[in-house]
Structure formats: C-alpha cells, structure tokens
Amino acid sequence: MPSAPARSKTQPSTWEKELHRFIEASGNTTHAFGLGRLIGRMYALLYLHPGPLSLERIATDLEISKASASLTIRQLEQWHAVRHVPVSGDRRHFYEAETAFRVIVRDGLLPGIRKKLSSAGDQIGRTLHAGTPSASDDRRASTPDVQLIRKRLKAAASLHRKLDAVLSSRLLENLL
Amino acid sequence: MPSAPARSKTQPSTWEKELHRFIEASGNTTHAFGLGRLIGRMYALLYLHPGPLSLERIATDLEISKASASLTIRQLEQWHAVRHVPVSGDRRHFYEAETAFRVIVRDGLLPGIRKKLSSAGDQIGRTLHAGTPSASDDRRASTPDVQLIRKRLKAAASLHRKLDAVLSSRLLENLL
DNA sequence: GGCATCGTTTAGTAAAAACTGAACGATGAT
DNA sequence: ATCATCGTTCAGTTTTTACTAAACGATGCC
C-alpha cells in the first residue's frame, strides 16, 4: 500500500462525479451562449459549494492556472455572479456564488446586453441620418431604393427601442 | 487612363459608404452575442438590399468565398432570417431578408435558445436525481452539505422552468 | 529590514473557430 | 452527350480566442 499524500484524494463517489459532470455541463451551456466555457464551470463550482472558496482552490479544482482563475473570477464579479468574501486573518481571496439569480440578471446580465445593443442602436441612427434628404433636395428627391432602405432602418430602430424598453423595465426580472 | 472593367466600380458615395459601415457594425453586433461576424454582415446586406441577391453576389459584396456564403446563408435560413426566392429561368439561388423581426424571433431565435436551455435543464434534473436520498436511508441521512446543494439545484431547476415558460409564451414576441 | 505568499500582468503557446480553394456532383443549356 | 455553371463538401490554412508559465508587485510575517 503506497503511503497516501496528506491532501485527501479519495476515490470520488457517484455523487461527487455527478457534481463534476454538472460543472462541465454548465461550462458547455455558457459556451453555447458565447460566454466561454470557464465562466460557467467556475460559477457552477462556487454555486455547488457551501461556503467560500479560495482562488487557488478554485484553480486546482477546475484544473486551470491561477492566471485563468483570476481573470475569470473578475468576469464573474463584473456580472455580480460572484462575491468576494474577506476572511479575517487570511490574506487569500475567497469567493462565493451569488445565489439570487434575480440579482445576477438585473445587475449583471441585462446591463451587459443593453450595452451591446446600444452601440448597435447608435449605428442605426448614424446610417439613418446619413440617408435623410438634405434641405436643398426637393421632397421625393431620393430614389425609391433609398426610401425603402430608410423605411427598413426605421423599423430596425423601432425594434431596438422596444427591446431596450423591455430590458430596462423590470418585467423580466420580476418573472424569475 | 487604364481601360475600365466592364463591371461598374464607381467611387462609393457617402451614403454607400455608410451602408457598408452599417453592415460591418451588424457583424460586430452578432459577433458580440457569440453568433459569428458573417451572419450579421450577411443579414444586414440582404436587409438593406431591396430585392433578392444571388449567392455569388452576396459573396463578392461581402468579399468572402462562395463556401462561406453558402454555409452562412443556411444558418440564416435555419433562423428564418432569410428566405430563398426562386427566380424562374435562373438556376442561381436568390435570397431576401425576412423583414418581420417577429418571425425571426418566434421561429428562429427563441427555439434556438430554448433548445440550448433544455440540455442544461436535463443536467440539473440528472444531478438532482443523483442526490436524492435512497429509500433505505433514514430521513436526515444525507449530510447538511448535500442538503444545501440539493436546495440550490432545486432553485436552479425552478429558474429553468420559469425561463422556459417565458420563452415559450408569446409574451416576448408580442412586445416587439 | 528580508522572506514567504498571494494575485495580477504580460508575453508566449496551444487550442478552437472561421474561412478558403479546389474538387465534386447536380442541373440545365446547346 | 458535352459543356458550362452553380452550390456544396471537405481538407487545409489562417486568424482568433483561450490558456498558461513566469516574472512582478504588493502585503503580511518574522
């Protein structure tokens, strides 16, 4: 019998293996939504863990480097998906998952989406503006094509406004 | 003066340059949402173009290969964002943008999101099931840790159900 | 002060995704 | 039937993204 290392590394039980599987699946989900695989894995790890975890512990558990852990944990913080928990007498950083999805959606997800949409909205406005007939032009001066395009741009602008209204209303968060 | 090519390639006007800029920005937007840059550029091109465009025309306008154009156009078709328009007496494939965003959201976007979410929901169920105390166990047999994790998993399952309900209701599409 | 430990930054590497060119099969024209 | 043209497939390449190792700065400890 080989001498066991100090760090307990017993065979994982079925339950623990299932938790690991859950973590991997979470990574796949976030990845499917274009958010990278690590962010989902890390959040799941913290979400499934009662009590805070140190940064290094997170890194070893997920089998990633400290650098990646540091980078990803800050993304999660930006999204309000994770909280930094100071532990007195310990210089290390501990983190725990925000379990109130409502908060994550309200303070993290929706603002992020709105920001991305706003630049799109700006562009719609710019293009629409570039197509407005100048004062010197007679009405009906622009070609039918340009008129059609402007109509479509207006429809896009309208969609953008409605979307933004839904996202900034508390409608969505109240449903969850 | 070099002899001009047959294909008219006059200097683009300010308006045309702005349209081009719009197309690029659309690509950035879709890319920001994890959908690839081409899909946004291509949809924008078609959206801004009155009347259908041939596949090759799309490729040359976007300065991409026919292969990419073919692949991307099919993605757009899957999302109901683009329609194939047969032109009698022409073997080429012509496409036009679906301008009713409502249709794209209902038939393309939401089903896609729901599909991705469902696999996540399955995994939650599996993990939860793996943690249910077996009948032989006394009640209170599982450790407090396991109980807490199960509680969280149930919360996740609840969120998933609510999300799915919102996405499958016609609430969202009616708002746009 | 010097030492040890932690998190971050940076520059480089590995992995993944996007894109292309060429070959192919299909379809219609002559 | 032969040829030309179009869209798709597939293997290979380029570009982008994700990740790491190592150096660094900061902070507490002796």
Side-chain angles (χ1 to χ4, degrees):
Chain A
M1 183 186 287
S3 62
R7 181 89 172 76
S8 74
K9 194 74 177 184
T10 56
Q11 284 297 334
S13 67
T14 305
W15 169 242
E16 278 158 357
K17 274 197 280 195
E18 186 57 38
L19 292 184
H20 183 265
R21 182 176 170 168
F22 180 88
I23 289 171
E24 297 306 314
S26 302
N28 291 338
T29 300
T30 51
H31 185 244
F33 283 100
L35 299 171
R37 201 162 256 129
L38 258 189
I39 211 167
R41 293 212 302 151
M42 191 176 289
Y43 179 75
L45 174 67
L46 289 166
Y47 186 74
L48 293 181
H49 202 278
L53 286 177
S54 75
L55 188 65
E56 190 156 26
R57 174 74 190 282
I58 293 171
T60 57
D61 275 20
L62 295 179
E63 298 181 299
I64 59 176
S65 66
K66 274 193 307 172
S68 280
S70 176
L71 199 66
T72 306
I73 204 79
R74 274 189 296 172
Q75 277 190 63
L76 283 170
E77 273 185 305
Q78 281 194 322
W79 289 15
H80 296 77
V82 139
R83 267 193 305 265
H84 177 245
V85 181
V87 171
S88 63
D90 200 325
R91 195 152 62 87
R92 290 175 294 173
H93 291 186
F94 286 81
Y95 297 94
E96 67 180 9
E98 168 65 72
T99 57
F101 297 126
R102 197 172 194 284
V103 171
I104 302 177
V105 170
R106 170 162 48 85
D107 299 342
L109 215 59
L110 292 186
I113 293 174
R114 289 223 309 155
K115 193 179 174 198
K116 286 177 183 173
L117 280 182
S118 86
S119 66
D122 292 349
Q123 179 61 48
I124 295 173
R126 255 195 305 276
T127 309
L128 204 39
H129 180 261
T132 53
S134 60
S136 60
D137 289 346
D138 197 359
R139 61 190 165 89
R140 296 260 168 216
S142 54
T143 72
D145 273 6
V146 173
Q147 287 179 7
L148 174 60
I149 294 176
R150 295 197 71 235
K151 189 179 152 197
R152 292 195 174 175
L153 285 170
K154 282 177 186 170
S158 166
L159 173 71
H160 176 264
R161 273 193 306 273
K162 286 176 187 167
L163 252 182
D164 196 61
V166 171
L167 293 179
S168 56
S169 81
R170 288 187 185 147
L171 177 61
L172 276 184
E173 31 181 310
N174 284 336
L175 288 175
L176 305 184
Chain B
M1 182 189 286
S3 62
R7 182 90 171 74
S8 74
K9 192 77 179 184
T10 56
Q11 285 297 334
S13 68
T14 305
W15 169 242
E16 278 157 356
K17 273 198 279 195
E18 186 57 37
L19 292 184
H20 182 265
R21 182 176 169 166
F22 179 90
I23 289 171
E24 297 306 314
S26 302
N28 291 337
T29 300
T30 50
H31 184 242
F33 284 99
L35 299 171
R37 200 162 257 131
L38 258 190
I39 211 168
R41 294 211 301 150
M42 191 176 289
Y43 179 74
L45 173 67
L46 289 166
Y47 187 75
L48 294 181
H49 202 277
L53 286 177
S54 75
L55 188 64
E56 189 155 27
R57 174 75 189 283
I58 294 172
T60 58
D61 276 18
L62 295 178
E63 298 180 302
I64 60 176
S65 65
K66 275 192 306 172
S68 280
S70 175
L71 199 66
T72 307
I73 205 78
R74 274 188 297 172
Q75 278 191 63
L76 283 170
E77 275 186 304
Q78 282 195 321
W79 289 15
H80 297 78
V82 139
R83 268 194 304 267
H84 177 246
V85 181
V87 172
S88 64
D90 200 326
R91 194 151 64 86
R92 289 175 294 174
H93 291 187
F94 287 82
Y95 298 93
E96 67 180 8
E98 169 64 71
T99 57
F101 297 125
R102 197 173 195 285
V103 172
I104 302 176
V105 169
R106 170 162 47 84
D107 298 342
L109 215 59
L110 293 186
I113 293 176
R114 289 225 305 156
K115 192 179 173 197
K116 287 176 183 173
L117 279 183
S118 86
S119 66
D122 292 349
Q123 178 62 45
I124 296 173
R126 255 196 304 277
T127 309
L128 203 40
H129 179 261
T132 52
S134 58
S136 60
D137 290 346
D138 197 359
R139 57 189 168 90
R140 295 260 169 217
S142 54
T143 72
D145 272 7
V146 173
Q147 287 179 8
L148 174 60
I149 294 175
R150 295 197 71 233
K151 188 179 152 197
R152 292 196 174 175
L153 285 171
K154 282 177 186 169
S158 165
L159 172 72
H160 177 265
R161 273 193 305 273
K162 285 177 187 167
L163 252 182
D164 196 60
V166 171
L167 293 179
S168 56
S169 80
R170 287 187 185 147
L171 177 61
L172 276 184
E173 31 181 310
N174 285 336
L175 288 175
L176 305 183

